[in-house]
C-alpha cells in the first residue's frame, strides 16, 4: 500500500531543515560583522626574530671600547643610554631626567625609579660615573676619549649626580644620548690591561630591553657567530613584546646567501645595510615578497671634496661650474636605485633646491675662469698657462662608489675635463688620501649627530690631520657660525647660523654635496611595530625594539 505524505508535513520538515542550516549562518554573519567592526588587532607577547648582521664577529660589546659595526649594533639591545633620541629626532630623558644650569655647563642627572641591570642590581650614579671615568682613562684607550676631555663628575647621592663641562657645549646632549652604562660592581676590579679581554666584553650585562641567554662560537677559531637574547625582566621601561632576538653574524652578504638560514622561510629574519643593487635578491616587486624595505633617512652627506692645490681647482668659477655639472637626480636614480636624497646642502636636514643651469651658463663659467676647449683634444685648456684641465678622482673600491664616480666622470668629460679615477680600499683611502689631504678630488662623505656639530668639519682650526676639515675650508663667517652653534642659542638664531654655513659652503664649493644615502633595512613583513624614519647611526634602528612584535591578539573595541 502506497504511503501518502501530506503537503503540510513536507513543508514542516523542510522548514526544520532550513532552520538547522540558516540559524548558524545568521550567527556566523553577525559574529563576522561584529568582529570586523569591533575587534581590534593588538600586539601580543611572544615569538622571536633573527637579525642578520653582516660584518666582523663581535669582540667588544662594551660601551667604553665598541668600535666595530657588529659590537655597536648589539649595544642598544643589552645596554641603556642616559638620554635617547625619539622618533621626532629630539633628545629626551631615558634612564635619567636632566636639568641644565643657566651657564649651560652643568648637567644634573636624576636616575629614574627601578632602573636595574639584567642581573637585578640597581643602576646608580656610581655606575654612570664609573663608565665615564673608564672612557677618560688614557690607559684603556677608549675611542670616545676625546668627547670627555676635561669633563668632571660629582656624585650627589645614589640617584643624583652632576656632569660639569669645561665650557658651554650644546651638542653634549648627543654625547649623553650615546652613553651606555656599565655595571661598576662587575667591572671595578678589572685593570686597564685586562679591560679589553674581560669575559663580560663578549657576555655583557646591561640595563637594556634584552639580556644574553647563550652564545654559539665558530668551531675553527672560537669566534662568536650567534647570540641568543631573551627579554630582560628587569627592564625599566616598557617591556619588549618579543621573547627572543637571535643575532647571527656573517662576514659578508655572499656567505649569508649560501647559508641554510637564507633559504629557511620559517625563520623571521631582518637584514641591515643591504646595498641597493642587492635589494632585488630579497624584495621582488612583481611577486608577493615576504620582505619589505625600510629606507631610513640618515644624517650622512656624500659629495666631492676639491683641493685648490690643483691649479685647475683653485678657481671659484671652475668649482662653481663643476657643482652645476653634477647630475644629482641621475646619480640617485640610476646608481642608488632611488635609496637616497639628492642634496646640494651640507646640512642633512635641509631640502634639496633644484638649480636648473643650461650648458651655456656652465661654458660661460669656465670661460670666465680662463678656460677654452681645445678643438683637437676636446679638453679644456687654460688660456694663460696652456695647461689642460685634468684631475684625479679618488674613490672607494666598491660597486656603488665606482658607478657614481663613473657617472661623475662622464658628466665632467662632456664639458672638457679630463678625469682619472683611482680606486682605493677603505683603509688606503683614509690613510693615504683623506688624512694627508692628498687628492685633487675625492668622493667621500661625513656623518653628523642629531644636533650636528659642524666645527670639526668646517672650522679653520681643524684643517690639518688628525682633524677632519677635509675640504680645508678657511672662512671667517663659517668659523664664527660653527663656534656659535656650540652654544645654547634660540632656535631662530640657530637656523640663521645654519644658513650662513650652507651659503658659504655653496659659494666656495670646496665641498660639493651630492646625496644623503638612506640606510636600507630589509624587514620581514611578519615584524610589526617598526616606525623609525630617521637614524643618525645604524644601531639606532633598535631604539624602539620593545615595540616590535610578531604575534597578534584581538580586543573588543567600541
Amino acid at each position: 500500500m502506497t504511503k501518502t505524505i501530506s503537503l503540510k508535513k513536507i513543508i514542516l520538515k523542510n522548514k526544520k531543515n532550513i532552520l538547522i542550516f540558516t540559524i548558524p549562518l545568521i550567527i556566523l554573519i553577525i559574529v563576522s560583522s561584529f568582529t570586523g567592526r569591533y575587534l581590534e588587532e593588538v600586539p601580543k607577547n611572544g615569538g622571536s626574530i633573527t637579525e642578520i648582521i653582516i660584518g666582523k664577529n663581535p669582540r667588544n660589546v662594551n660601551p667604553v671600547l665598541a668600535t666595530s659595526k657588529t659590537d655597536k649594533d648589539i649595544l642598544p639591545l643589552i645596554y641603556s643610554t642616559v638620554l635617547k633620541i625619539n622618533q621626532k629626532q629630539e633628545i629626551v630623558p631615558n634612564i635619567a631626567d636632566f636639568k641644565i644650569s643657566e651657564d649651560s655647563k652643568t648637567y644634573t642627572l636624576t636616575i629614574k625609579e627601578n632602573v636595574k641591570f639584567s642581573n637585578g642590581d640597581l643602576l646608580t650614579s656610581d655606575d654612570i660615573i664609573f663608565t665615564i671615568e673608564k672612557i677618560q682613562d688614557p690607559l684603556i684607550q677608549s675611542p670616545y676619549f676625546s668627547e670627555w676631555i676635561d669633563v668632571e663628575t660629582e656624585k650627589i647621592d645614589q640617584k643624583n649626580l652632576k656632569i660639569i663641562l669645561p665650557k658651554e657645549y650644546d651638542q653634549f646632549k648627543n654625547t649623553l644620548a650615546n652613553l651606555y652604562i656599565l655595571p661598576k660592581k662587575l667591572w671595578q676590579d678589572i685593570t686597564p690591561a685586562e679591560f679589553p679581554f674581560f669575559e663580560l666584553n663578549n657576555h655583557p650585562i646591561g640595563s637594556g630591553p634584552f639580556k644574553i641567554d647563550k652564545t654559539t662560537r665558530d668551531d675553527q677559531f672560537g669566534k662568536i657567530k650567534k647570540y641568543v637574547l631573551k627579554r630582560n625582566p628587569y627592564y625599566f621601561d616598557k617591556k619588549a613584546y618579543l621573547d627572543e632576538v637571535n643575532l647571527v653574524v656573517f662576514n659578508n652578504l655572499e656567505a649569508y646567501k649560501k647559508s641554510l638560514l637564507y633559504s629557511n622561510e620559517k625563520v623571521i629574519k631582518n637584514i641591515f645595510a643591504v646595498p641597493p643593487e642587492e635589494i632585488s635578491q630579497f624584495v621582488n616587486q612583481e611577486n608577493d615578497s615576504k620582505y619589505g624595505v625600510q629606507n631610513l633617512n640618515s644624517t650622512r652627506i656624500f659629495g666631492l671634496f676639491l683641493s685648490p692645490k690643483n691649479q685647475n681647482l683653485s678657481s671659484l668659477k671652475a668649482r662653481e661650474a663643476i657643482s652645476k655639472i653634477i647630475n644629482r637626480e641621475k646619480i640617485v636614480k640610476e646608481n642608488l636605485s632611488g635609496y637616497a636624497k639628492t642634496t646640494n646642502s651640507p646640512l642633512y636636514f635641509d631640502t634639496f633646491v633644484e638649480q636648473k643651469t643650461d650648458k651655456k651658463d656652465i661654458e660661460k663659467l669656465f670661460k670666465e675662469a680662463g678656460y677654452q676647449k681645445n678643438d683637437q683634444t676636446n679638453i679644456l685648456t687654460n688660456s694663460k698657462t696652456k695647461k689642460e684641465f685634468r684631475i684625479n678622482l679618488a674613490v672607494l673600491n666598491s660597486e656603488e662608489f665606482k658607478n657614481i664616480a663613473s657617472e661623475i666622470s662622464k658628466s665632467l668629460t662632456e664639458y672638457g675635463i679630463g678625469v682619472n679615477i683611482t680606486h682605493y680600499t677603505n683603509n688606503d683611502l683614509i690613510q693615504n688620501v683623506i688624512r694627508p689631504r692628498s687628492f685633487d678630488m675625492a668622493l667621500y662623505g661625513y656623518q653628523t649627530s642629531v644636533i650636528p656639530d659642524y666645527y670639526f668639519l668646517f672650522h679653520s682650526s681643524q684643517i690639518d690631520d688628525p682633524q677632519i676639515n677635509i675640504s680645508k675650508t678657511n672662512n671667517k663667517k663659517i668659523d664664527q657660525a660653527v663656534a656659535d652653534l656650540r652654544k645654547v642659542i634660540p632656535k631662530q638664531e640657530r637656523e640663521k647660523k645654519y644658513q650662513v654655513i650652507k651659503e658659504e659652503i655653496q659659494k666656495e664649493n670646496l665641498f660639493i654635496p651630492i646625496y644623503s644615502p638612506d640606510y636600507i633595512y630589509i624587514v620581514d613583513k611578519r615584524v610589526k611595530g617598526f616606525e623609525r624614519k630617521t637614524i643618525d647611526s645604524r644601531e639606532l634602528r633598535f631604539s624602539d625594539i620593545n615595540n616590535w612584535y610578531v604575534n597578534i591578539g584581538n580586543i573588543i573595541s567600541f
Side-chain angles (χ1 to χ4, degrees), residues 333-345:
K333 185 178 179 180
E334 296 185 6
N335 301 111
L336 296 165
S337 303
Y339 292 104
K341 310 291 183 294
T342 51
T343 186
N344 51 9
S345 168

mmCIF file of all heavy atoms in Angstrom, residues 333-345:
data_model
loop_
_atom_site.group_PDB
_atom_site.id
_atom_site.type_symbol
_atom_site.label_atom_id
_atom_site.label_comp_id
_atom_site.label_asym_id
_atom_site.label_seq_id
_atom_site.Cartn_x
_atom_site.Cartn_y
_atom_site.Cartn_z
ATOM 1 N N LYS A 333 68.956 58.170 -8.868
ATOM 2 C CA LYS A 333 68.003 57.274 -9.537
ATOM 3 C C LYS A 333 68.673 56.043 -10.132
ATOM 4 O O LYS A 333 68.213 54.913 -9.939
ATOM 5 C CB LYS A 333 67.250 58.037 -10.628
ATOM 6 C CG LYS A 333 66.153 57.212 -11.308
ATOM 7 C CD LYS A 333 65.415 58.041 -12.351
ATOM 8 C CE LYS A 333 64.332 57.217 -13.040
ATOM 9 N NZ LYS A 333 63.610 58.012 -14.066
ATOM 10 N N GLU A 334 69.783 56.254 -10.841
ATOM 11 C CA GLU A 334 70.392 55.153 -11.592
ATOM 12 C C GLU A 334 71.454 54.384 -10.815
ATOM 13 O O GLU A 334 71.641 53.195 -11.030
ATOM 14 C CB GLU A 334 70.985 55.686 -12.897
ATOM 15 C CG GLU A 334 69.931 56.253 -13.842
ATOM 16 C CD GLU A 334 70.507 56.662 -15.184
ATOM 17 O OE1 GLU A 334 71.709 56.393 -15.428
ATOM 18 O OE2 GLU A 334 69.750 57.245 -15.987
ATOM 19 N N ASN A 335 72.156 55.059 -9.924
ATOM 20 C CA ASN A 335 73.251 54.395 -9.216
ATOM 21 C C ASN A 335 72.900 53.989 -7.794
ATOM 22 O O ASN A 335 73.572 53.143 -7.204
ATOM 23 C CB ASN A 335 74.490 55.298 -9.187
ATOM 24 C CG ASN A 335 74.977 55.661 -10.579
ATOM 25 O OD1 ASN A 335 74.879 56.813 -10.992
ATOM 26 N ND2 ASN A 335 75.491 54.692 -11.323
ATOM 27 N N LEU A 336 71.860 54.608 -7.237
ATOM 28 C CA LEU A 336 71.453 54.284 -5.871
ATOM 29 C C LEU A 336 70.021 53.772 -5.816
ATOM 30 O O LEU A 336 69.447 53.652 -4.734
ATOM 31 C CB LEU A 336 71.611 55.517 -4.974
ATOM 32 C CG LEU A 336 73.056 56.010 -4.813
ATOM 33 C CD1 LEU A 336 73.077 57.412 -4.222
ATOM 34 C CD2 LEU A 336 73.858 55.055 -3.955
ATOM 35 N N SER A 337 69.459 53.478 -6.990
ATOM 36 C CA SER A 337 68.100 52.920 -7.105
ATOM 37 C C SER A 337 67.057 53.746 -6.360
ATOM 38 O O SER A 337 66.043 53.217 -5.909
ATOM 39 C CB SER A 337 68.086 51.475 -6.588
ATOM 40 O OG SER A 337 69.016 50.683 -7.279
ATOM 41 N N GLY A 338 67.329 55.031 -6.192
ATOM 42 C CA GLY A 338 66.380 55.910 -5.516
ATOM 43 C C GLY A 338 66.483 55.889 -4.005
ATOM 44 O O GLY A 338 65.744 56.607 -3.317
ATOM 45 N N TYR A 339 67.414 55.081 -3.437
ATOM 46 C CA TYR A 339 67.517 54.969 -1.982
ATOM 47 C C TYR A 339 68.489 56.014 -1.421
ATOM 48 O O TYR A 339 69.469 55.701 -0.741
ATOM 49 C CB TYR A 339 67.946 53.555 -1.588
ATOM 50 C CG TYR A 339 66.881 52.528 -1.880
ATOM 51 C CD1 TYR A 339 66.982 51.680 -2.971
ATOM 52 C CD2 TYR A 339 65.742 52.431 -1.076
ATOM 53 C CE1 TYR A 339 65.988 50.749 -3.258
ATOM 54 C CE2 TYR A 339 64.746 51.510 -1.344
ATOM 55 C CZ TYR A 339 64.876 50.678 -2.440
ATOM 56 O OH TYR A 339 63.889 49.763 -2.719
ATOM 57 N N ALA A 340 68.211 57.258 -1.728
ATOM 58 C CA ALA A 340 68.999 58.389 -1.230
ATOM 59 C C ALA A 340 68.227 59.662 -1.521
ATOM 60 O O ALA A 340 67.274 59.656 -2.307
ATOM 61 C CB ALA A 340 70.376 58.430 -1.897
ATOM 62 N N LYS A 341 68.623 60.743 -0.879
ATOM 63 C CA LYS A 341 68.018 62.050 -1.138
ATOM 64 C C LYS A 341 69.049 62.908 -1.868
ATOM 65 O O LYS A 341 70.203 62.983 -1.462
ATOM 66 C CB LYS A 341 67.640 62.728 0.181
ATOM 67 C CG LYS A 341 66.839 61.869 1.149
ATOM 68 C CD LYS A 341 65.447 61.595 0.636
ATOM 69 C CE LYS A 341 64.638 60.796 1.655
ATOM 70 N NZ LYS A 341 65.135 59.431 1.895
ATOM 71 N N THR A 342 68.635 63.523 -2.951
ATOM 72 C CA THR A 342 69.538 64.460 -3.618
ATOM 73 C C THR A 342 69.701 65.699 -2.749
ATOM 74 O O THR A 342 68.751 66.145 -2.092
ATOM 75 C CB THR A 342 68.970 64.883 -4.988
ATOM 76 O OG1 THR A 342 67.616 65.323 -4.813
ATOM 77 C CG2 THR A 342 69.001 63.741 -5.975
ATOM 78 N N THR A 343 70.902 66.253 -2.747
ATOM 79 C CA THR A 343 71.119 67.449 -1.932
ATOM 80 C C THR A 343 72.234 68.297 -2.526
ATOM 81 O O THR A 343 73.156 67.781 -3.167
ATOM 82 C CB THR A 343 71.462 67.091 -0.471
ATOM 83 O OG1 THR A 343 71.535 68.285 0.311
ATOM 84 C CG2 THR A 343 72.797 66.361 -0.368
ATOM 85 N N ASN A 344 72.124 69.579 -2.332
ATOM 86 C CA ASN A 344 73.226 70.483 -2.657
ATOM 87 C C ASN A 344 73.585 71.302 -1.419
ATOM 88 O O ASN A 344 74.188 72.362 -1.504
ATOM 89 C CB ASN A 344 72.870 71.410 -3.833
ATOM 90 C CG ASN A 344 71.538 72.115 -3.616
ATOM 91 O OD1 ASN A 344 70.954 72.045 -2.536
ATOM 92 N ND2 ASN A 344 71.047 72.785 -4.648
ATOM 93 N N SER A 345 73.202 70.762 -0.257
ATOM 94 C CA SER A 345 73.433 71.430 1.021
ATOM 95 C C SER A 345 74.289 70.550 1.930
ATOM 96 O O SER A 345 74.141 69.332 1.937
ATOM 97 C CB SER A 345 72.096 71.726 1.704
ATOM 98 O OG SER A 345 72.294 72.123 3.050
#
